[in-house]
Amino acid sequence: MKKLSLFFITCLSAFIFCSCDKDDENTTTVVPVSISLENKLTEDNTEFISEKEITPGTSTLDTFQDSNGLLTFDHYFADWGSGYSFSAFTYMNKTDNSASNSPVPYCKKAKTGKVYLAVNPSDYSPAIMTINNPSIYTINGAWVTNSTYAYNSMTIGDSYATAFKKDSYFKLTATGFDANNNVTGTAEIYLANYKSDNDKPVTEWIWFDMSPLMAAVKIQFSLTSSDTGEFGMNTAAYFCMDDIVLNKISL
């Protein structure tokens, strides 16, 4: 009986040892990778300008990547009679937000370094960010904040927008899509959420958790507001983003 018990224990130990070895071999390692655009601009107070030719009265699509080529961003540009203008994504290092319609962060600075993303999404120029190697990288999140334009639109109002009061909101939504353009999930964050008439929109950088979209190949960003009229949202459709984090997955 003792010999049989010893035999059983030996076999069980061997099984556990082999199982642990097998689990170790299949262990998945996840390493966070921060996205940077710091070396994309060499002069202060500048922004990305497409090298494609401007067609007067027409919006043109271009793209750009981060410094390591991990993400691709859609960039629309046009000249509607007052010079170069962008929609969807651009990057800049501007800090002057004295103009009421400035796309610069209300806090006048990037989350890290000097260069950040300014984003102006619309139905005609969707703000789409593509993960270039989705078999290795998945989205984790990013830091976001209000642009000066949107902040002023919510607190002062303008020719389109009305100043916010209790129950007003300004919400950022990220929608993930797979390679076949099927929705994989959504993530949301409020850039303003008035519980009283005395509340204010977000003025500093806040973390936007996009881990629910980890199966996404591309991510589209959109804005919604309580201040919406017959022709759509009245609040200025701008926000800023910095320090995007991807998860690098390896076996």
Side-chain angles (χ1 to χ4, degrees), residues 109-240:
K109 60 183 180 180
K111 175 64 175 64
T112 302
K114 295 182 177 180
V115 183
Y116 56 86
L117 290 161
V119 194
N120 171 220
S122 74
D123 293 338
Y124 304 102
S125 51
I128 295 176
M129 176 181 79
T130 302
I131 300 174
N132 295 334
N133 195 340
S135 63
I136 298 177
Y137 296 96
T138 62
I139 189 65
N140 181 320
W143 292 86
V144 295
T145 192
N146 275 308
S147 68
T148 298
Y149 195 0
Y151 182 89
N152 289 336
S153 180
M154 290 182 275
T155 57
I156 303 172
D158 53 39
S159 57
Y160 299 100
T162 302
F164 277 15
K165 57 184 180 179
K166 183 180 178 182
D167 296 328
S168 298
Y169 67 86
F170 187 50
K171 183 170 63 176
L172 170 62
T173 300
T175 304
F177 296 88
D178 64 17
N180 296 317
N181 216 35
N182 297 311
V183 174
T184 63
T186 60
E188 300 176 343
I189 192 169
Y190 284 91
L191 295 176
N193 191 15
Y194 278 45
K195 302 300 183 183
S196 74
D197 291 342
N198 297 320
D199 284 343
K200 295 294 182 183
V202 168
T203 58
E204 297 296 333
W205 292 95
I206 58 174
W207 176 251
F208 184 15
D209 179 12
M210 288 183 272
S211 57
L213 312 181
M214 62 187 312
V217 172
K218 64 179 183 180
I219 299 167
Q220 180 173 336
F221 296 89
S222 58
L223 292 164
T224 52
S225 170
S226 54
D227 185 8
T228 300
E230 180 182 356
F231 300 104
M233 188 172 71
N234 296 322
T235 308
Y238 288 81
F239 72 97
C240 300

Side-chain angles (χ1 to χ4, degrees), residues 17-36:
F17 179 78
C18 292
S19 297
C20 289
D21 280 352
K22 186 175 181 180
D23 289 342
D24 289 342
E25 291 175 359
N26 294 329
T27 298
T28 300
T29 302
V30 178
V31 178
V33 177
S34 185
I35 299 300
S36 174

Side-chain angles (χ1 to χ4, degrees), residues 27-124:
T27 298
T28 300
T29 302
V30 178
V31 178
V33 177
S34 185
I35 299 300
S36 174
L37 296 116
E38 282 303 306
N39 67 351
K40 306 289 283 186
L41 296 174
T42 57
E43 297 181 11
D44 292 339
N45 197 39
T46 55
E47 64 181 285
F48 170 71
I49 301 295
S50 174
E51 294 182 353
K52 288 186 175 181
E53 182 179 355
I54 292 179
T55 302
T58 301
S59 181
T60 303
L61 172 63
D62 197 358
T63 62
F64 62 85
Q65 297 186 350
D66 65 280
S67 299
N68 293 316
L70 302 181
L71 297 172
T72 297
F73 302 88
D74 284 0
H75 171 86
Y76 292 84
F77 65 96
D79 183 351
W80 305 111
S82 58
Y84 190 99
S85 65
F86 83 94
S87 54
F89 287 97
T90 196
Y91 57 87
M92 59 179 63
N93 57 13
K94 296 180 177 181
T95 58
D96 180 6
N97 68 347
S98 56
S100 61
N101 63 347
S102 170
V104 172
Y106 185 78
C107 60
K108 302 182 183 181
K109 60 183 180 180
K111 175 64 175 64
T112 302
K114 295 182 177 180
V115 183
Y116 56 86
L117 290 161
V119 194
N120 171 220
S122 74
D123 293 338
Y124 304 102

